[in-house]
Amino acid sequence: MGDVITVTGMVLSAMPVNDYDKRVVLLTRERGKISAFAKGARRMNSPLMGYSNPFCFGTFRLYEGRTSYNIQGADIDNYFQEVSTDIVCVYYGIYFMELADYYTYENMDASGELNLLYASFRALKKDSIPNDLVRYIVELKMMVLHGSYPQFFQCKECKKEEGLLYFSAAKGAVYCGECVRNAPDAIEISQSTLYALQYIVATPIAKLFTFTVTEEVLAELRMIMGRLMLLTMDKKLNSLEMLELLEK
């Protein structure tokens, strides 16, 4: 016999099954990424209708069966309506959730990924930080949480921490002017861009979305993260093409 458990999480995606049900993917702090069925959620009078849509963040009560979870109820803390009513923000949000889906799995501690999602959704409607900067922060911080990210604090070859003027996506590292000959794909980056990258890597999530950058730095971040994502991910996420069209 299964038990009813309580988890804190966010709905990453939902799809219809059978005549009136939904299959929901939840990113949870306690169980990582899990699938759950919301039975009857597509009926007009079902209380589960409002709990089983993407962007919902809160506490979910799940019946844990032998082979699946079933949503019994939820207390939603945030529907992120300010995001869901802006088409541009919607595509950013979908992209962030696809990233979280890519990097997470069942029975992991997903506290960091969940906190990053929540903080990024709150940042999307801030006038003080551009949405494309929010995107680059999320992309790099997801890599950090995954434990595989570039070395931005010292030269890959000589370990020097000063004069780091070049970045190689292929090597996943920065180089000084003397060692850059060992990285044919390296591009020159500004000191401000290097500081931004170091800040994203080292700063706690709660303080991540508190800075902005110049257009020049934003352009360099766009180039760097574009190369990194192309090299490190084995598939292109469905929402990325539409998001890139919107950014242009």
Side-chain angles (χ1 to χ4, degrees):
M1 183 116 182
D3 297 320
V4 174
I5 63 171
T6 300
V7 296
T8 299
M10 189 172 189
V11 178
L12 298 183
S13 62
M15 63 178 294
V17 293
N18 302 323
D19 291 332
Y20 298 105
D21 305 336
K22 282 184 178 181
R23 178 181 176 273
V24 175
V25 177
L26 288 167
L27 181 63
T28 71
R29 182 170 291 133
E30 298 85 357
R31 299 288 178 103
K33 183 178 67 178
I34 60 174
S35 296
F37 291 97
K39 294 185 176 181
R42 295 164 62 205
R43 295 182 185 274
M44 290 302 295
N45 61 346
S46 172
L48 294 182
M49 179 179 289
Y51 306 156
S52 55
N53 294 319
F55 299 3
C56 290
F57 179 95
T59 302
F60 295 82
R61 293 179 295 281
L62 309 176
Y63 175 81
E64 184 180 13
R66 287 190 300 173
T67 60
S68 64
Y69 295 93
N70 290 283
I71 300 177
Q72 301 292 300
D75 297 312
I76 302 301
D77 298 323
N78 203 327
Y79 290 94
F80 288 105
Q81 291 177 326
E82 68 278 13
V83 173
S84 60
T85 55
D86 183 319
I87 187 62
V88 175
C89 289
V90 164
Y91 278 102
Y92 275 102
I94 293 172
Y95 177 57
F96 297 164
M97 291 192 297
E98 280 197 282
L99 279 176
D101 182 83
Y102 180 86
Y103 281 113
T104 57
Y105 50 89
E106 191 170 358
N107 293 325
M108 68 175 286
D109 180 357
S111 299
E113 290 81 359
L114 188 61
N115 290 343
L116 180 59
L117 268 188
Y118 189 88
S120 66
F121 271 61
R122 293 189 63 184
L124 279 176
K125 293 298 289 183
K126 285 184 178 180
D127 294 331
S128 58
I129 180 170
N131 287 341
D132 45 354
L133 177 56
V134 176
R135 169 189 167 179
Y136 307 139
I137 292 172
V138 172
E139 289 174 339
L140 181 53
K141 201 64 173 181
M142 279 289 183
M143 292 181 186
V144 173
L145 293 171
H146 187 61
S148 178
Y149 57 96
Q151 168 58 262
F152 290 120
F153 291 89
Q154 61 182 19
C155 175
K156 182 176 177 62
E157 297 292 331
C158 68
K159 311 305 180 186
K160 186 163 50 177
E161 297 181 359
E162 297 177 353
L164 306 176
L165 304 174
Y166 301 91
F167 172 72
S168 165
K171 301 286 188 178
V174 288
Y175 287 81
C176 68
E178 296 176 0
C179 299
V180 70
R181 62 183 179 275
N182 296 312
D185 73 309
I187 58 173
E188 188 172 0
I189 62 174
S190 69
Q191 199 67 46
S192 295
T193 298
L194 179 64
Y195 288 155
L197 293 165
Q198 291 174 339
Y199 184 85
I200 295 168
V201 169
T203 300
I205 291 170
K207 297 181 180 179
L208 263 184
F209 301 98
T210 57
F211 73 100
T212 189
V213 296
T214 64
E215 287 297 326
E216 291 75 17
V217 170
L218 199 59
E220 290 188 2
L221 290 175
R222 182 179 300 115
M223 186 186 309
I224 290 167
M225 293 312 305
R227 293 188 179 197
L228 277 176
M229 298 301 287
L230 191 63
L231 286 171
T232 58
M233 300 193 73
D234 56 10
K235 66 176 182 178
K236 190 165 186 176
L237 302 184
N238 294 330
S239 59
L240 186 56
E241 184 175 354
M242 180 59 72
L243 179 57
E244 290 175 343
L245 286 173
L246 289 170
E247 285 183 334
K248 292 178 181 178

